[in-house]
Amino acid sequence: GNSVTQMEGPVTLSEEAFLTINCTYTATGYPSLFWYVQYPGEGLQLLLKATKADDKGSNKGFEATYRKETTSFHLEKGSVQVSDSAVYFCALIPQGGSEKLVFGKGTKLTVNP
Amino acid sequence: DTGVSQDPRHKITKRGQNVTFRCDPISEHNRLYWYRQTLGQGPEFLTYFQNEAQLEKSRLLSDRFSAERPKGSFSTLEIQRTEQGDSAMYLCASSSGWDSPYEQYFGPGTRLTVT
């Protein structure tokens, strides 16, 4: 079946540190890949997406590249801010017409000043 | 453009009672999705609608759960004979169906506590 595995949290960083949150997936063919973010007290928001192999999604300084060969979609940011503290979810939509998002368990990020 | 809204935001109920949640999607979005999120987990898909038609249902949606979208606008999710295991955040999302894969916009959720 389809599944997403993300690195266990929580992750605690100092401001301006480099961030990587690992995400790997299991799915047939070419799923579409997403990162969602949930800020404290708010709903899920789409952060970035990639729909085909080697695509790079980017937004707000975050990036992730769709790697078919390693079935990965790792989230990176060069310099995190306190305002980036949130829970980050990696997700996929399977290829072939389904519209359901399959989420990982989420990684909580705390950035300290 | 208002976002997805859900009502109520919080619901506390006793085991065995029925509860109903409402979701209002973004105007003119023809697709509507329900997910359930338990503590420490990612959201899990429950069901989705294209206009009035319920096109996909998860095995998680037991006989006690029913969802409707009678006029293709708002949707309701009803849980009958609630159990403690139903305690979770119930999330609604909508999408326009214009861009594939369809970007799903989430509401703030309804937190259900079954005592």
Side-chain angles (χ1 to χ4, degrees), chain B residues 37-84:
Chain B
Q37 185 178 17
T38 53
L39 202 60
Q41 302 294 316
E44 296 174 292
F45 171 82
L46 294 177
T47 188
Y48 93 90
F49 294 83
Q50 181 176 333
N51 299 313
E52 304 89 353
Q54 188 172 20
L55 296 188
E56 191 172 351
K57 290 171 62 173
S58 165
R59 288 171 293 177
L60 292 174
L61 218 63
S62 75
D63 291 345
R64 297 185 297 106
F65 288 69
S66 63
E68 294 184 341
R69 195 183 183 199
K71 296 183 180 179
S73 57
F74 72 91
S75 175
T76 58
L77 178 68
E78 181 183 18
I79 308 174
Q80 296 182 329
R81 304 181 303 282
T82 52
E83 302 172 356
Q84 287 190 321

Side-chain angles (χ1 to χ4, degrees), chain A residues 32 34 36 38 43-44 46 49 51 89 93 98-101 103-105, chain B residues 31 33 35 37 40-43 45 48 56 91 101-104 106-107:
Chain A
S32 297
F34 305 82
Y36 277 82
Q38 191 168 35
L44 280 165
L46 178 64
K49 68 180 181 182
T51 58
F89 293 92
I93 288 181
S98 173
E99 297 187 27
K100 69 178 185 184
L101 279 160
F103 285 89
K105 290 186 176 183
Chain B
R31 285 165 160 77
Y33 313 81
Y35 293 82
Q37 185 178 17
Q41 302 294 316
F45 171 82
Y48 93 90
E56 191 172 351
L91 300 172
Y102 310 121
E103 181 173 338
Q104 296 181 26
F106 282 81

Side-chain angles (χ1 to χ4, degrees), chain B residues 6-12 20-22 90 108-111:
Chain B
Q6 294 187 243
D7 184 66
R9 295 290 304 275
H10 303 273
K11 178 71 176 178
I12 300 174
T20 300
F21 310 139
R22 176 178 171 128
Y90 290 83
T110 294
R111 182 169 295 283

Side-chain angles (χ1 to χ4, degrees), chain A residues 1-5 23-28 33 71 90-92 94 102-104:
Chain A
N2 302 302
S3 66
V4 174
T5 302
C23 170
T24 57
Y25 68 88
T26 300
T28 56
L33 302 175
T71 62
C90 186
L92 66 82
V102 177
F103 285 89

